Amino acid sequence: MSEVQSVQPRDAAAAAVRALSVAAAVDAALTDRVLVIGSLPPFGRDLDLLVRLPQRRQVVEWCVASGFVPSQDRWATFDADGPYVIDVEHAERDRWGGRDPSVLFADAEPLTCFRHLARPSPAAVLVLAGRSVVARRGRLSAGTRARVDRVLDRDPDAWTTAEEVARQLGLRGALRALRAAHRSRVDSPPARAGRVLRYLLGPDPVRVKAALVRESLPRRLRPTVVSLSGLDGSGKSTQVRRLREALTQLGVPSTDQWAGFATSRKLYGICSLLDRRAWTPAGRRELRAQPLDPFVPPGCRTGTMAPHLWVGLAAAFNALQLWWLTLRPRSRTQVLLFDRFSPDTAVKLDYFFGHERRLDVRFERALFRLLAPRPAVGFLLAVPGEVSHARRQEHWGPRELECMAQLYEGHVPRFGLRRLDGRRPADDLHRRILRDVWRAL
């Protein structure tokens, strides 16, 4: 179960009405009891459910018919009140180490005004929280801690009754890990590692441990890369900011990163030294008299091979820089949001060296595409040159921007980008981008 952040909605009353209406519609689609294991409606921005197989089919069918967007076992809808998520956790033997999780449904309390949605017993809440601590690699989240506190206020003897439920499910070690984490206010990496180690060395059945270890493993070794490309003024930065805020509300940790075109000053200096004119005082005076080119050193401006060697070096350098930005360690980042990425660098290579300096850069373009990372989900916010110039009158004129816009169009199929009209309302673009990113998680 992911922790959806409690972010103040634009209209709290409307969000509460939406949460109640979704819960009522789901309840009407069910034929048997389902446990609400997170915040009870209308509180929170999600509905966390523990379901058995027949009820899972019913919830999924309702989500599909209602236009919810899937991401593995989570279904989301996106509207003006913000995202709302239904998290469907399976109560199946395979996911519980061969044990029957039906014991968790015993003594559940039906929610007021609902027929099938029920609140789990205090003992079941503690066992589920213990399983969550192990699945989160020893971490007790603030939301889970608050849930445990509320349960203990309801039933001070809940730890005792939870022991019997945990015994039936082979989760006594997980319950002890929860109790230790709840008593301690220390949540450092060594403390979390100690909880996991004690659990693995504890008495729980091996099959149950193996199921929890599988659940605790990260789905990806590196974050999902999402990129937004386009001209200056197309709305990339705005959409990156809004996307990160929405992912935070959905409980998906994300980081944003800017990636611009660059040339290495060290390589620029080395290539300048290769020009024999730099070896004599008279030659150096001649070089200083030449107009400065910010992208091509003097030694690589003439001849047949030298310009192409320099452009190839620039392509490789930018590809490596993008890989570094993509792979460098980031703590608890599931989605990496790029404001400009490989398609933007490819456009700059084409424009600076192909268009402005009249070089044939087909080989260098292919080299960059071969070396550069690709986004898991990439978008082009396409706007005409005059629109970009009207929004951001800084470095380029309308003709230069229109040329770049055409270059971007050529890179859409090469990088598998999803082309969006950047002139559409920002809210419409945000919802479209968020839906596509959510599906890719």
Side-chain angles (χ1 to χ4, degrees):
M1 180 179 66
S2 298
E3 293 285 344
V4 175
Q5 300 296 315
S6 180
V7 178
Q8 185 67 24
R10 299 177 185 178
D11 186 342
V17 170
R18 189 261 307 271
L20 284 173
S21 65
V22 169
V26 171
D27 185 74
L30 296 169
T31 58
D32 203 351
R33 179 166 294 177
V34 163
L35 298 184
V36 180
I37 57 177
S39 300
L40 302 180
F43 306 104
R45 284 182 171 270
D46 65 338
L47 183 64
D48 295 318
L49 304 177
L50 180 65
V51 302
R52 288 169 281 208
L53 185 58
Q55 284 68 54
R56 179 181 180 275
R57 295 195 187 102
Q58 292 165 355
V59 173
V60 169
E61 288 173 359
W62 180 87
C63 288
V64 171
S66 302
F68 277 61
V69 181
S71 177
Q72 300 188 37
D73 292 330
R74 308 182 74 200
W75 295 77
T77 184
F78 312 102
D79 56 29
D81 295 314
Y84 190 82
V85 179
I86 299 177
D87 196 333
V88 185
E89 184 172 342
H90 303 197
E92 299 175 8
R93 287 178 179 268
D94 288 345
R95 300 188 67 169
W96 291 73
R99 302 299 178 103
D100 185 4
S102 296
V103 64
L104 295 169
F105 291 78
D107 300 322
E109 307 171 21
L111 298 181
T112 304
C113 302
F114 295 99
R115 289 190 304 163
H116 302 113
L117 297 182
R119 178 169 62 175
S121 67
V125 171
L126 293 181
V127 172
L128 289 167
R131 190 172 184 272
S132 171
V133 166
V134 177
R136 292 173 180 270
R137 300 183 286 280
R139 176 175 171 262
L140 177 61
S141 68
T144 304
R145 181 182 289 276
R147 202 170 297 125
V148 171
D149 291 338
R150 289 195 296 269
V151 162
L152 295 177
D153 289 340
R154 284 171 53 203
D155 183 2
D157 298 325
W159 288 117
T160 303
T161 53
E163 281 285 346
E164 175 58 24
V165 177
R167 184 193 64 78
Q168 296 181 51
L169 292 173
L171 290 171
R172 285 180 295 175
L175 187 65
R176 291 168 192 164
L178 169 67
R179 198 162 191 172
H182 185 259
R183 283 197 303 262
S184 173
R185 293 293 170 177
V186 178
D187 196 38
S188 62
R192 295 196 293 267
R195 292 167 198 152
V196 174
L197 181 60
R198 284 192 293 273
Y199 171 75
L200 294 176
L201 297 176
D204 286 0
V206 173
R207 189 174 174 186
V208 175
K209 292 179 184 177
L212 266 180
V213 168
R214 283 196 303 271
E215 188 171 332
S216 69
L217 295 176
R219 294 190 177 100
R220 292 182 175 88
L221 296 178
R222 61 185 179 92
T224 301
V225 174
V226 177
S227 70
L228 283 91
S229 300
L231 297 173
D232 290 346
S234 59
K236 301 183 298 298
S237 300
T238 299
Q239 293 300 331
V240 166
R241 176 182 55 79
R242 295 188 61 177
L243 181 57
R244 184 174 182 183
E245 292 173 354
L247 290 175
T248 298
Q249 294 179 28
L250 291 165
V252 179
S254 61
T255 301
D256 54 19
Q257 176 68 59
W258 185 87
F261 181 82
T263 55
S264 170
R265 293 184 178 180
K266 292 181 180 180
L267 293 176
Y268 196 102
I270 292 173
C271 290
S272 297
L273 291 176
L274 295 178
D275 191 338
R276 291 185 178 182
R277 291 174 294 176
W279 299 356
T280 64
R284 288 193 290 272
R285 285 195 297 270
E286 180 185 348
L287 291 174
R288 284 195 294 268
Q290 292 183 356
L292 178 65
D293 189 330
F295 293 103
V296 181
C300 297
R301 296 178 194 173
T302 58
T304 303
M305 295 298 298
H308 289 282
L309 288 174
W310 171 252
V311 177
L313 193 61
F317 175 80
N318 277 273
L320 291 175
Q321 177 182 252
L322 291 169
W323 273 116
W324 160 244
L325 294 175
T326 301
L327 297 177
R328 77 179 184 188
R330 290 177 172 87
S331 176
R332 298 186 65 233
T333 296
Q334 187 175 341
V335 178
L336 183 55
L337 307 173
F338 272 96
D339 181 350
R340 298 174 176 83
F341 197 51
S342 299
D344 304 86
T345 300
V347 167
K348 294 300 191 296
L349 281 170
D350 280 341
Y351 184 80
F352 291 144
F353 300 110
H355 176 75
E356 286 192 334
R357 288 159 183 82
R358 303 298 179 185
L359 296 174
D360 184 356
V361 294
R362 286 178 294 180
F363 171 78
E364 292 83 356
R365 184 191 302 135
L367 176 67
F368 178 77
R369 289 207 311 272
L370 177 66
L371 298 178
R374 292 173 178 264
V377 187
F379 301 92
L380 171 64
L381 298 183
V383 295
E386 62 269 16
V387 173
S388 173
H389 186 259
R391 292 178 179 178
R392 295 280 297 274
Q393 301 179 28
E394 294 181 359
H395 304 296
W396 313 100
R399 294 181 61 183
E400 291 87 352
L401 291 167
E402 190 58 40
C403 177
M404 289 186 193
Q406 294 175 10
L407 292 173
Y408 271 111
E409 296 290 349
H411 285 292
V412 168
R414 294 168 184 155
F415 288 94
L417 303 180
R418 307 177 190 202
R419 186 186 184 281
L420 302 177
D421 188 343
R423 295 169 295 182
R424 290 171 55 188
D427 288 346
D428 292 349
L429 289 171
H430 170 65
R431 283 191 285 271
R432 166 64 191 278
I433 292 170
L434 184 56
R435 281 197 298 267
D436 287 359
V437 171
W438 176 255
R439 286 192 181 96
L441 296 180

